[in-house]
Amino acid sequence: MHTTGLFSPDDEAEAVETYDSLGPAAQTVVKETAKAMAFDADEYDERVTGDVIETARDALFASLLSVQVGTVEEFEAWCEDFDGDVEVRGSEHVDNVVWHVAPGERAVAATFQSEERAAVGTLRRQAFGTIYRELVG
């Protein structure tokens, strides 16, 4: 079992603080990406909206979430010690699981067979969409 990612907020306040702190980074990423795409000033003003910056911040936040990666057996052992709610998605007939523990004793998990990187990315987006979006929005 191993962990990938940088943070797992302990509470809602930490999640909101982290999300808010990513605003300037999201804006810089979008600006530099637009520059690399050779947007002129008019095209930048027309296409780079607040929604674009917000989407970048959402993606940055999700991509930094800490995720546990392990076998089904390791996940089941972890679940025995976890007192909260766990939402598991995917097939029961695979060997591996990725999971993220969020504030409020909530966790999301996804099963996978061999594509760990894809499973981690998918789980992070699911965690943001099902848990964090309502906290930070």
Side-chain angles (χ1 to χ4, degrees):
M1 186 168 75
H2 65 277
T3 303
T4 183
L6 299 177
F7 70 91
S8 187
D10 292 326
D11 56 37
E12 292 180 16
E14 184 180 354
V16 170
E17 181 180 320
T18 301
Y19 182 81
D20 289 346
S21 74
L22 292 173
Q27 192 164 16
T28 299
V29 167
V30 170
K31 183 176 182 179
E32 292 302 316
T33 301
K35 186 188 295 184
M37 295 172 70
F39 283 17
D40 62 26
D42 289 337
E43 186 173 17
Y44 182 90
D45 290 342
E46 179 183 326
R47 296 184 68 186
V48 178
T49 64
D51 287 342
V52 170
I53 303 289
E54 191 77 11
T55 299
R57 180 172 20 186
D58 295 351
L60 281 171
F61 182 91
S63 71
L64 297 173
L65 290 173
S66 180
V67 173
Q68 302 295 321
V69 181
T71 64
V72 169
E73 293 80 17
E74 290 169 326
F75 175 69
E76 288 173 351
W78 173 84
C79 283
E80 289 177 15
D81 295 330
F82 184 67
D83 292 330
D85 295 324
V86 181
E87 181 181 331
V88 181
R89 296 181 179 158
S91 173
E92 296 176 7
H93 307 290
V94 295
D95 297 329
N96 303 292
V97 183
V98 292
W99 66 97
H100 171 76
V101 180
E105 298 298 314
R106 292 176 69 186
V108 291
T111 62
F112 72 100
Q113 184 59 37
S114 61
E115 296 296 328
E116 178 181 321
R117 188 169 159 201
V120 168
T122 297
L123 180 71
R124 286 176 170 151
R125 288 187 300 278
Q126 289 175 351
F128 184 81
T130 61
I131 296 172
Y132 292 104
R133 185 177 307 280
E134 67 187 46
L135 296 178
V136 301

